[in-house]
Amino acid sequence: MLLKNKNILIGITGSIAAYKGCELVRLLQKKGATVRVCMTPSAKEFVGELTFRALTGEEVLSDWKDGKTGLEHIFWARWADAFVVAPATATTLGKISSGIADNFLNSVALAYDRSIIFAPAMNTKMYTNPATQENIKKLSGWGHIFVEPDSGELACGEEGEGKLADIEHIYEAVLYTVLPKFLKGKKVLVTAGATREHFDPIRYITNASSGQMGYQLAKIAYAAGGDVVLISAPTCLKKPYGVKAVDVVSAQEMFSAVMEYLDWADVVIMNSAVADFRPASYSSQKLKKDKEQPIIELKPNPDILEEIGRRKKKNQTVIGFAAESENIIENALKKLKKKNLDFIVANPLDVFSKKSHKGVIISADGNRIEIPDMDKESSALFILEKIFKR
Ligand code: CTP
């Protein structure tokens, strides 16, 4: 519930993607926010106002004169902790960038004195048109935030940029605007996912880590103001908004990628479940079952975190993770010392399969903080706040 006690205003404009506003309302409500919706008159041609009234339990305003007093565009601008225009059409971007206030939505925009989040959605040619791009540049220059559209098949039948961004990414941009910036100015390197150690082109040794915790940590670190690089082994997860992603497969590839970014980083969060061993040999052809039964010999992989600990500079904070099946604290403490860490987050082994997370943060000076059982997103925020809000 990262948006608990937050007021979010969603502005819907006249795009075929207007119906996705319903999904956005539900997601923000699920995260604890109180949501209100305003619509441009043309948005109502795509989705009925009643839909949003029913979803939010609030009135939905369209004309700048709408509402009890006629001043609601000012009051709603004051009320909102975040204002998201999704989908944002070329016309609305053009009007807002020109300071035009001829409907409720763009009147709120003019009265809103913080960063607005825009998620454009339109035909590719309309999106790439210099008029639209100039308006986007102008709005970005004033500090407004753009969640860039995805590429793909558009409603008009054309292929290209212009599809409304993923709803999750729009939510992440909202998080970015409301979370306290306790990692502002910090360069944060996060690793995630289970490495794959191939012994033929399609077969490999790996482990059960889903990568979820690492992705949540990267997402929250960005939302808390960090400049984030996420080095990820293969996962089924979408890359978080705003994060620079580097994809790797094996432990050796992860080692090289981490070493490349190590000097850059102020904070290293090593959450990846790195395979300790890899097959000693690799067959470029698929191993056939009618041949002799293969014996897969293993050899050790580098311990990436141990090497980070060895190279650690004074101003760097290094955080490791330990998933243990027994003697959790004792084993985690051993890793903390051996790998020269500032913090280790110890958790039971079932963290891999569960959606929630609980554990304990142990610092190099012996402090322990229990992490209560909660979803991984909340847990990521809890961990980073405990470590960096001190
Ligand atoms: N780690 C790493 N490189 C490895 C193995 C682990 O960087 N080759 C990191 C993990 O990302 C984690 C920490 O070291 O942050 C502890 O990993 P874990 O698998 O719990 O422990 P190991 O050191 O591998 O020891 P063991 O498997 O014996 O528990």
Side-chain angles (χ1 to χ4, degrees):
M1 300 283 268
L2 267 61
L3 297 180
K4 201 166 166 228
N5 301 325
K6 297 291 178 202
N7 297 330
I8 315 289
L9 176 60
I10 302 178
I12 314 266
T13 71
S15 151
I16 187 77
Y19 73 96
K20 292 189 186 163
C22 304
E23 231 182 288
L24 183 60
V25 171
R26 298 300 275 175
L27 179 61
L28 299 180
Q29 288 173 330
K30 220 173 89 192
K31 301 294 181 181
T34 303
V35 180
R36 282 184 190 167
V37 169
C38 58
M39 303 174 81
T40 59
S42 60
K44 292 203 242 170
E45 310 260 339
F46 291 90
V47 186
E49 180 187 308
L50 183 62
T51 307
F52 290 108
R53 251 201 286 154
L55 285 175
T56 61
E58 302 261 0
E59 56 181 347
V60 173
L61 306 183
S62 278
D63 189 276
W64 69 266
K65 295 189 271 354
D66 278 358
K68 279 190 210 100
T69 65
L71 291 174
E72 271 66 20
H73 55 288
I74 309 290
F75 302 150
W76 282 31
R78 266 187 223 151
W79 170 87
D81 295 304
F83 179 24
V84 195
V85 183
T89 56
T91 302
T92 291
L93 293 174
K95 284 188 179 180
I96 295 177
S97 65
S98 306
I100 294 172
D102 65 349
N103 63 36
F104 189 85
L105 191 154
N106 54 33
S107 300
V108 175
L110 204 58
Y112 195 75
D113 58 1
R114 286 142 286 149
S115 299
I116 303 171
I117 300 162
F118 292 101
M122 66 197 77
N123 165 274
T124 307
K125 294 199 177 82
M126 291 171 80
Y127 181 67
T128 52
N129 188 293
T132 308
Q133 289 303 313
E134 276 300 311
N135 291 333
I136 290 176
K137 219 166 106 191
K138 200 161 151 192
L139 290 163
S140 303
W142 294 340
H144 297 301
I145 294 165
F146 277 82
V147 188
E148 284 172 17
D150 288 337
S151 286
E153 199 185 321
L154 303 169
C156 55
E158 286 179 22
E159 285 265 343
E161 240 179 329
K163 265 169 89 87
L164 182 70
D166 203 280
I167 297 297
E168 279 284 335
H169 280 175
I170 300 174
Y171 158 62
E172 288 165 17
V174 172
L175 262 191
Y176 176 81
T177 60
V178 301
L179 275 197
K181 296 286 169 280
F182 57 87
L183 280 170
K184 194 172 167 49
K186 296 275 182 218
K187 298 187 178 87
V188 186
L189 178 60
V190 182
T191 69
T195 64
R196 286 181 184 174
E197 313 299 325
H198 276 269
F199 52 89
D200 82 7
I202 49 164
R203 300 184 182 108
Y204 50 81
I205 296 170
T206 190
N207 60 69
S209 168
S210 65
Q212 271 191 63
M213 194 64 204
Y215 274 56
Q216 295 294 354
L217 286 158
K219 172 175 118 181
I220 300 295
Y222 177 77
D227 186 0
V228 182
V229 170
L230 169 65
I231 300 179
S232 175
T235 71
C236 304
L237 306 169
K238 287 177 201 149
K239 297 290 176 339
Y241 164 79
V243 159
K244 177 178 177 188
V246 178
D247 288 323
V248 298
V249 176
S250 66
Q252 285 175 296
E253 281 175 24
M254 183 165 282
F255 182 90
S256 307
V258 167
M259 294 311 146
E260 206 174 296
Y261 281 95
L262 190 55
D263 281 345
W264 166 86
D266 301 307
V267 177
V268 182
I269 305 175
M270 192 72 203
N271 181 257
S272 171
V274 184
D276 288 325
F277 299 95
R278 67 177 182 274
S281 59
Y282 174 77
S283 160
S284 56
Q285 302 300 324
K286 187 183 170 205
L287 295 181
K288 301 299 284 179
K289 68 173 176 236
D290 54 2
K291 299 257 167 64
E292 217 175 292
Q293 188 180 326
I295 293 169
I296 298 167
E297 248 183 75
L298 299 177
K299 65 178 181 189
N301 267 330
D303 191 313
I304 305 171
L305 191 52
E306 206 170 316
E307 187 58 29
I308 295 170
R310 230 173 266 135
R311 298 188 192 188
K312 186 171 79 174
K313 287 186 284 190
K314 251 199 183 149
N315 55 352
Q316 286 180 314
T317 305
V318 178
I319 305 165
F321 278 74
E324 305 289 348
S325 53
E326 56 182 350
N327 305 326
I328 298 179
I329 302 290
E330 201 183 310
N331 285 331
L333 273 170
K334 272 190 209 155
K335 288 175 190 172
L336 177 105
K337 291 213 170 68
K338 186 167 175 236
K339 305 193 188 197
N340 188 24
L341 309 179
D342 299 292
F343 298 90
I344 193 155
V345 178
N347 31 238
L349 213 55
D350 66 0
V351 71
F352 282 5
S353 55
K354 278 173 69 178
K355 279 206 166 134
S356 62
H357 174 263
K358 74 169 183 185
V360 54
I361 307 168
I362 310 173
S363 65
D365 56 17
N367 264 338
R368 285 186 205 174
I369 301 169
E370 290 291 329
I371 308 166
D373 199 350
M374 52 187 148
D375 64 81
K376 288 183 179 172
E377 181 183 54
S378 308
S379 188
L381 177 62
F382 182 93
I383 292 166
L384 294 178
E385 275 191 333
K386 289 290 172 214
I387 294 177
F388 294 103
K389 252 187 148 180
R390 306 200 295 179

